Amino acid sequence: MAVNRPALIALTALAPVSWGTTYAVTTEFLPPDRPLFTGLMRALPAGLLLLALARVLPRGAWWWKAAVLGALNIGAFFPLLFLSAYRLPGGMAAVVGSVGPLFVVGLSALLLGQRPTTRSVLAGVVAASGVSLVVLKAAGALDPLGALAALAATASMSTGTVLTKRWGRPDGVGPLAVTGWQLTAGGLLIAPLALLAEGAPPALDGPAVGGYLYLALANTAVAYWLWFRGMGRLSATQVTFLGPLSPLSAAVVGWAALGETLTPVQVAGMTLAFGATVAGQLAPRGGTPTRPGTFSSPAKNGRKESMDLRSEPLRR
């Protein structure tokens, strides 16, 4: 059945738009200074729910593949992201994160055989510049640990994105199950870190319970299912260029719900970042979509051949 490409892109874009609400929910409803516990409450309940719905467990090599992807996309990404956000001034973590498309362009060349184009590199630079105008505020000394955590978070998610595209999915297994595997693995990785670093879970009032329910269900279970579903049908570069929608969404939520102002410079930055996001969705000339689990690589005599990663061993 033919895929309605614009609809697929729009549905996948709902994931970063949802993630843009995380800051407002966290600051308005959740206990302060519990980033690891918040990451745990986002990942593990959502993962267990999706596992219960899918009723499919990994088999064979997919046990370690799911663990690796869960660590990169969830287990390492969440703590590093929160650490950078707490230690960096005025939106700097979002600026560093906005270079993710450039990371993915480079990793796609190494792992997927997709040569970077001038347009994709330029769009990545414009996206990062636009996000910086939206979220970057004047301010204080740059914390080295926070900057390193932000770079590591971006590299972790970018690597997970490309590996997700490279490995595809097992035959007969849908994105719901694969998303559940990753969220559960990531949540199990975060759990001991949260206990060691933050101690016992805090007491929760009604707003906190509602906030955690929202983060676990809409913001994580549904959003990551849409994200990985889109990743199976779009290129890794196309998916990652939707990422800047997250800080843009956060800025809009702050303006609409929290009474924050948007300056003309921020509006200009939003326009630049959104334009780069749209440009990142344009298929390269002569490019053809690949089905989940495959990628195209250069072959001899200038031809391209399709490699099915479900039957080919991972090159080490």
Side-chain angles (χ1 to χ4, degrees):
M1 182 177 62
V3 176
N4 186 328
R5 177 185 164 88
L8 176 62
I9 293 173
L11 285 172
T12 308
L14 290 177
V17 169
S18 171
W19 298 333
T21 66
T22 303
Y23 175 78
V25 172
T26 300
T27 56
E28 296 299 311
F29 301 110
L30 303 186
D33 301 324
R34 303 303 293 260
L36 290 175
F37 180 74
T38 297
L40 173 63
M41 293 299 289
R42 285 185 66 187
L44 191 56
L48 294 175
L49 173 63
L50 295 186
L51 284 182
L53 292 175
R55 299 184 181 182
V56 178
L57 293 177
R59 298 182 64 182
W62 270 98
W63 281 104
W64 68 264
K65 288 182 179 181
V68 169
L69 294 177
L72 290 170
N73 290 323
I74 308 296
F77 176 69
F78 278 7
L80 289 168
L81 180 67
F82 280 117
L83 176 62
S84 65
Y86 271 86
R87 299 186 69 96
L88 291 179
M92 179 62 75
V95 174
V96 177
S98 69
V99 304
L102 296 176
F103 275 60
V104 170
V105 167
L107 289 170
S108 294
L110 291 174
L111 298 178
L112 303 181
Q114 297 175 355
R115 290 182 297 178
T117 65
T118 301
R119 185 178 65 194
S120 63
V121 174
L122 181 60
V125 173
V126 172
S129 301
V131 169
S132 68
L133 293 177
V134 175
V135 302
L136 193 57
K137 299 176 183 177
L142 186 64
D143 181 82
L145 179 59
L148 183 61
L151 282 173
T154 303
S156 180
M157 186 67 167
S158 300
T159 304
T161 297
V162 175
L163 285 180
T164 298
K165 189 65 183 177
R166 178 181 172 95
W167 289 338
R169 299 193 301 267
D171 286 323
V173 176
L176 191 72
V178 175
T179 304
W181 300 347
Q182 294 189 47
L183 288 171
T184 302
L188 291 175
L189 180 62
I190 296 173
L193 297 177
L195 183 61
L196 290 174
E198 298 176 353
L204 302 180
D205 57 14
V209 171
Y212 281 126
L213 283 175
Y214 167 78
L215 290 181
L217 297 177
N219 187 269
T220 303
V222 174
Y224 271 94
W225 169 68
L226 290 172
W227 185 252
F228 291 125
R229 176 178 176 270
M231 199 177 296
R233 302 181 183 185
L234 300 170
S235 73
T237 303
Q238 286 176 306
V239 172
T240 197
F241 265 105
L242 296 173
L245 293 176
S246 180
L248 300 188
S249 173
V252 172
V253 170
W255 167 75
L258 303 182
E260 299 176 358
T261 59
L262 287 175
T263 67
V265 171
Q266 287 178 302
V267 174
M270 293 174 71
T271 302
L272 282 175
F274 186 76
T277 296
V278 173
Q281 305 313 307
L282 301 178
R285 292 180 181 177
T288 56
T290 57
R291 64 185 176 87
T294 68
F295 73 94
S296 295
S297 64
K300 295 181 180 180
N301 302 321
R303 296 177 299 173
K304 289 184 177 180
E305 59 185 359
S306 179
M307 301 181 67
D308 192 330
L309 297 174
R310 289 169 296 200
S311 58
E312 289 285 340
L314 177 65
R315 294 183 180 181
R316 300 180 183 276

